[in-house]
Amino acid sequence: MRQMVFRKQGTGRLVIIIVATLFLTACPEPTNNLATIDSFVFNASDNDALVADVAATIDDTAITATVPIGTQITALKATVVLPSGATISPNPATARDYSSAVVYTVIAEDGATTADYTVTVSVGGTSPVPGILSVRSVGLEAIMLEWTAASDDTTAAGSLKYRLYYSDSDNIATAADAEANGTPVGSGYQTGITSVTATGLAQTTAYYFTVVVQDEAGNKAAYTPLQQGTRVSLIESDTANSDYLKAAAAEGPYVYLAGSEHDGSVLNWRIEKRRLDTGALVEDFGTDGVIRDGLAGNDEPVSMLIIGDYLFVSGYDYSEGNQQWRTQVYNKTTGASIMGKKNNPTTNQDSIKDIAADGDYLYLAGAANSSNDVRLEKRSLADLNPDTDFNSSGFYQETFTGAADFYRAVAVDDTHVYAAGTANNDGGTTGSAVVDKFNKDTGVLDTSFGTAGRLTLPAGRVVAGMRLYDGYLYAAVLSGFDDSTNGSFHLYKISTSDGSFSTAFGGGSNYRTVDPGVNNNPLFGNPLTLDNDSMYLVSSRVYGALGDPDWYIEKRSLTHGELDSFFGTGGVVYENLSTTETDEYPETIFTDDLNVFAGGVMHNGSSYEWYLRILDKVSGE
């Protein structure tokens, strides 16, 4: 449009200005002619067959995707991204069978431009390589499994996920079978786990177990299944003669028992390996499950440790015509004897009472010279030879004024070794319970502990058992000289740094007095063990001909020393193995992840038999 403007100049001239006005009109944009697929994904949230999203690769009009091994591809739903205004046919969000190629047609917004895309789905990838599955602990109604880590060619070890499955049938050999037939434990697949406990199992019942491992792509593999049953509650061994169970230790599905066997004339070492689920001897160990190892008669093992692939068993024998120290090492699988050492400290009676170990050395505590001396030795685990840097000889030995002095317990930490027992004990009315602290490298008494390295306890005559945990020594102390003394016993919690007593544990006192309440309350063998925040102690109520005895097994807090009310009845389990026998006494107590074990002997009328009682370590059942 054009306008004319008339303006009169001052000179009288008329100027005509022509103004042009432009009107702009919007032209329509061109229609989108893109017929492409920009993204093609099978989302796990849309597909039960997948555990992780699978993004396809797009190369021109060829689309390829690889899903994990075992994935069913007959009904997969896809999510696509298209250009603005474009449509696709058929609808990829509808479940489709991808066992053969699927062709999708994309129609551009202009309605004229089209493109065909061919989608090919393959099942592939590499499954993780499982590790080894094993039994860690066997409970009354629970079994704890552990495994070594799996490996994978693309997923980092820390990102692999695991889940435990079990079944009462042998039908969980593959990942698919485990998920279809097994009972899962826990909430889904989890990273960073190497052990799981299956609970709620039936008593004395066998199950099959496997672990399924899954990588980030969703590929899965099953560990080789194993069969394991829940445990028995009592294991007994009767060889018709008088036999004495002295030590025991458990590992995985097995328990090892050590003691003496009377062959009709003399005592010999006897070591058994038994299954916890049946109590049966393991025939591949020794001869039909038993090692019989006698040198001269009247030989007896008193303490045992499981270290790596071996059993370290210490005690005494009479091969030199007198009682001497002896340690033997056996293969824990076959029972084969690996090595042994005998040591005759004196020509009188010498005996080992307890052993402990760190990563490289074995520490042995006991008596020498017919219990006139206390003795502590340090020996290499590799060859059992003495460490001559320890007190310049490999041992510490001290003579007291009493006729019944000995170390009865030993414990070791990173820097020191502790030996406890009795000193200046005449076997009658005098003597003191003592704890000695040594530098474990040099064998020199640590003078910062007690008086010149020796702590004399304010009450009690003999330290019967001692264990160490988190900077404290826990000691069970007899009030009299020997195992058969009437009365109560005392429990101490002692700082390893300076020998001070925990009055919080003692209920306001330096120690806590325990009185089971029936006549004699002796502490035999190794009556004390620790488990994280708890203490377990075993004693015999009534001894000898004083009446019908029973075992007294208690559980206490390591913090405040009180009985654990959830264990047994008010923190105590009473075990009366026989109402007709007068001699029932425990010799050892220890725990694993699920159980507390108390072992000892019972007189059956004509001889002594081995007994191992197994309880749930939480409930005492």
Side-chain angles (χ1 to χ4, degrees):
M1 179 179 180
R2 184 175 296 172
Q3 289 184 327
M4 300 182 71
V5 179
F6 299 89
R7 181 177 300 172
K8 187 174 181 180
Q9 295 275 343
T11 58
R13 291 183 297 169
L14 182 66
V15 178
I16 300 173
I17 301 174
I18 300 174
V19 179
T21 302
L22 179 64
F23 291 92
L24 300 178
T25 302
C27 299
E29 294 183 1
T31 303
N32 194 331
N33 64 354
L34 296 177
T36 59
I37 295 178
D38 299 326
S39 173
F40 192 100
V41 180
F42 295 111
N43 289 313
S45 59
D46 297 328
N47 296 278
D48 293 338
L50 297 174
V51 296
D53 296 347
V54 176
T57 299
I58 303 174
D59 183 7
D60 196 15
T61 59
I63 299 177
T64 57
T66 301
V67 296
I69 294 172
T71 303
Q72 295 295 321
I73 61 174
T74 55
L76 295 178
K77 300 176 182 178
T79 299
V80 300
V81 175
L82 303 175
S84 175
T87 59
I88 188 170
S89 179
N91 184 2
T94 301
R96 301 204 176 276
D97 184 356
Y98 287 88
S99 56
S100 56
V102 176
V103 177
Y104 288 97
T105 299
V106 179
I107 304 172
E109 185 183 29
D110 63 9
T113 306
T114 64
D116 290 334
Y117 283 79
T118 302
V119 180
T120 304
V121 176
S122 60
V123 180
T126 303
S127 294
V129 178
I132 298 174
L133 178 65
S134 58
V135 176
R136 178 165 163 173
S137 182
V138 180
L140 186 66
E141 296 177 347
I143 296 176
M144 188 176 187
L145 286 300
E146 63 181 358
W147 57 90
T148 58
S151 61
D152 190 72
D153 57 355
T154 58
T155 301
S159 297
L160 292 172
K161 297 181 178 181
Y162 301 88
R163 195 172 196 187
L164 177 69
Y165 289 84
Y166 69 89
S167 173
D168 56 9
S169 300
D170 187 9
N171 59 358
I172 53 173
T174 67
D177 288 343
E179 291 181 329
N181 304 321
T183 299
V185 178
S187 56
Y189 286 85
Q190 300 178 47
T191 60
I193 58 173
T194 58
S195 65
V196 170
T197 301
T199 59
L201 306 179
Q203 296 183 17
T204 59
T205 301
Y207 295 88
Y208 291 87
F209 295 89
T210 189
V211 168
V212 177
V213 55
Q214 173 187 292
D215 65 17
E216 290 177 322
N219 297 309
K220 298 175 182 178
Y223 281 59
T224 301
L226 59 80
Q227 186 182 29
Q228 178 62 51
T230 46
R231 66 162 172 81
V232 297
S233 295
L234 179 67
I235 293 175
E236 52 188 307
S237 177
D238 179 15
T239 61
N241 295 308
S242 290
D243 308 318
Y244 301 88
L245 177 62
K246 291 293 186 177
E251 185 178 66
Y254 305 111
V255 63
Y256 299 86
L257 310 174
S260 60
E261 176 185 68
H262 200 282
D263 65 3
S265 59
V266 296
L267 292 174
N268 295 294
W269 284 28
R270 178 185 175 93
I271 302 163
E272 298 181 350
K273 181 178 181 180
R274 291 181 176 270
R275 292 189 61 89
L276 285 171
D277 54 2
T278 63
L281 290 166
V282 178
E283 295 185 356
D284 293 338
F285 180 83
T287 302
D288 298 327
V290 179
I291 299 171
R292 292 175 175 86
D293 199 347
L295 294 179
N298 295 321
D299 307 328
E300 191 167 58
V302 297
S303 192
M304 175 169 57
L305 297 174
I306 302 173
I307 304 175
D309 294 329
Y310 304 104
L311 300 175
F312 285 75
V313 185
S314 295
Y316 56 83
D317 69 55
Y318 275 82
S319 63
E320 299 298 323
N322 64 295
Q323 188 172 294
Q324 65 176 341
W325 289 26
R326 178 187 176 196
T327 297
Q328 292 292 134
V329 182
Y330 304 95
N331 183 290
K332 72 179 182 183
T333 302
T334 66
S337 179
I338 305 302
M339 60 180 170
K341 291 286 184 179
K342 296 182 294 180
N343 179 33
N344 202 9
T346 72
T347 57
N348 293 313
Q349 306 306 314
D350 311 312
S351 60
I352 294 175
K353 302 292 187 181
D354 193 22
I355 60 175
D358 57 18
D360 300 303
Y361 294 96
L362 186 68
Y363 302 84
L364 307 96
N369 196 26
S370 297
S371 292
N372 285 316
D373 300 350
V374 296
R375 184 178 176 94
L376 174 67
E377 293 186 356
K378 179 182 179 182
R379 292 180 174 271
S380 168
L381 289 175
D383 55 18
L384 295 181
N385 287 329
D387 176 14
T388 55
D389 289 333
F390 187 81
N391 201 35
S392 302
S393 58
F395 68 91
Y396 171 88
Q397 187 166 323
E398 183 177 355
T399 302
F400 292 102
T401 60
D405 301 320
F406 51 82
Y407 287 141
R408 186 158 157 179
V410 62
V412 62
D413 61 20
D414 291 338
T415 56
H416 293 85
V417 57
Y418 307 82
T422 183
N424 300 317
N425 198 323
D426 64 359
T429 59
T430 64
S432 302
V434 296
V435 180
D436 293 346
K437 178 180 179 180
F438 300 86
N439 181 296
K440 74 174 187 178
D441 294 324
T442 65
V444 175
L445 284 164
D446 185 336
T447 57
S448 66
F449 184 83
T451 301
R454 172 162 296 148
L455 179 67
T456 300
L457 303 185
R461 298 280 303 284
V462 180
V463 176
M466 180 181 69
R467 294 294 181 258
L468 187 155
Y469 178 73
D470 198 23
Y472 288 93
L473 295 167
Y474 296 83
V477 181
L478 291 166
S479 59
F481 160 65
D482 60 21
D483 294 332
S484 59
T485 301
N486 291 346
S488 59
F489 48 87
H490 311 298
L491 300 177
Y492 290 84
K493 180 178 180 179
I494 306 164
S495 169
T496 58
S497 62
D498 60 8
S500 61
F501 303 108
S502 169
T503 55
F505 177 83
S509 171
N510 287 338
Y511 55 87
R512 184 174 289 275
T513 299
V514 179
D515 185 0
V518 184
N519 295 329
N520 289 349
N521 305 297
L523 298 172
F524 298 97
N526 295 288
L528 176 69
T529 193
L530 308 179
D531 184 90
N532 293 326
D533 59 352
S534 298
M535 165 195 292
Y536 297 87
L537 183 139
V538 63
S539 170
S540 178
R541 300 194 313 166
V542 181
Y543 178 70
L546 296 177
D548 176 32
D550 58 14
W551 291 12
Y552 170 92
I553 305 168
E554 66 169 36
K555 178 182 180 182
R556 292 181 180 270
S557 164
L558 294 186
T559 303
H560 50 69
E562 296 288 345
L563 289 169
D564 183 341
S565 60
F566 294 101
F567 183 80
T569 302
V572 179
V573 172
Y574 301 96
E575 282 292 328
N576 195 350
L577 302 178
S578 172
T579 59
T580 62
E581 301 301 331
T582 59
D583 286 342
E584 297 176 5
Y585 53 91
E587 288 278 357
T588 185
I589 189 168
F590 61 97
T591 64
D592 66 6
D593 288 284
L594 299 175
N595 310 292
V596 55
F597 302 79
V601 297
M602 186 191 76
H603 193 268
N604 68 3
S606 60
S607 64
Y608 287 95
E609 299 177 358
W610 293 12
Y611 271 76
L612 183 71
R613 185 68 170 93
I614 313 171
L615 307 172
D616 182 274
K617 74 177 187 181
V618 175
S619 68
E621 181 180 0

